[in-house]
Amino acid sequence: MPRRLDYGFLGPAPDSRWWDPYSEYTATERPCLLAISSNGRWRVLISGVPSTRTDSVGTLIFYTLVLEGSSPGPGGAAEAGQDRTAVLALASRWLDDIAGHPEGRGALSELLDGICSSTEVDRLLAARPSELAAERNELTGRLATALASLKPVPPVQDTDVPARLGERWIAGRTAPGADAAFLVRLSSLLSGKNGEAHLLNLVSCAEDVTTLPPGGGPLAVLVEGGMVGDSAMRAEALPELRREVVNSVPKARRRAATVPTAVTAVILLLVGLSLLASGWI
């Protein structure tokens, strides 16, 4: 199979690649999570989930899940609540997989490999996006059902909870209470609160994320620690976004060029999935 076919959405593609502006903060070929919420709409990306399979030239494949939905509203509270529960369970499982394996190999990898057989993936990627609509919808439905069946992994509670630092904070992924506080923030975003919550792998300190979000506002950041930074760094409050730093170049961007080429060359297999107020599609 031509290598160009190693890239693509198996199901419906999002309207935009909204995650691209975060490339200076995180590499999607490594374990990461992005979550943003604005005006009652939320978007979540979970990426770097390793497959046991390789691409056409023998490079390990990673999955990316893209999810979108609405916060609870008139007539849609039940469906939106189900979406929120499913995404929180998925996020907690992903954090648990990363904690158990440096590459994030765990239950989520096993689940996706079990659903997305190599034969089916090759067939869908080889077809035009407008073709095989029934097969794409069927796969997306299976994927949605499987993800909805995931059970949440309770985070380890601790008295040193970063949430006490206010609306803007950064902490290492393994810092006491960090994962629990992160999931609490993610829950608030899925419930309609504006803000952002990210697990990033190209940041190491507060200085790296001073311009996030672009207009300021609530922000929770976990330092992944697999490539850059310390996954156990203590939680600290982030300063409010100041006008004079808006146009500055984050330290993460200057560091991005140092990422090993063996990592940046990994092929990404994109699996599109939407969570809408009307239910899973």
Side-chain angles (χ1 to χ4, degrees), residues 126-258:
R128 294 186 178 90
S130 60
E131 297 175 337
L132 304 179
E135 289 88 340
R136 295 180 192 279
N137 289 336
E138 195 276 332
L139 173 60
T140 302
R142 277 190 281 126
L143 177 59
T145 299
L147 294 179
S149 69
L150 285 174
K151 301 299 182 184
V153 179
V156 177
Q157 300 294 328
D158 195 278
T159 55
D160 182 21
V161 179
R164 296 188 301 191
L165 297 173
E167 292 281 74
R168 294 173 55 83
W169 54 266
I170 185 172
R173 174 180 51 81
T174 64
D179 57 345
F182 184 83
L183 292 171
V184 168
R185 178 61 59 85
L186 177 59
S187 177
S188 72
L189 300 184
L190 298 173
S191 298
K193 183 174 181 177
N194 290 349
E196 301 190 1
H198 309 307
L199 169 69
L200 304 174
N201 55 51
L202 292 180
V203 304
S204 61
C205 62
E207 180 187 356
D208 291 345
V209 294
T210 53
T211 57
L212 287 178
L219 173 67
V221 172
L222 292 183
V223 175
E224 191 271 327
M227 293 196 302
V228 174
D230 179 8
S231 65
M233 69 174 284
R234 291 186 57 186
E236 62 178 286
L238 291 170
E240 291 299 318
L241 188 64
R242 303 188 305 275
R243 180 182 295 270
E244 58 268 26
V245 301
V246 170
N247 295 320
S248 65
V249 179
K251 201 165 71 174
R253 175 182 292 176
R254 298 196 298 270
R255 186 192 302 113
T258 67

Side-chain angles (χ1 to χ4, degrees), residues 4 32 47 76 160 248:
R4 64 179 176 81
C32 65
S47 193
D160 182 21
S248 65

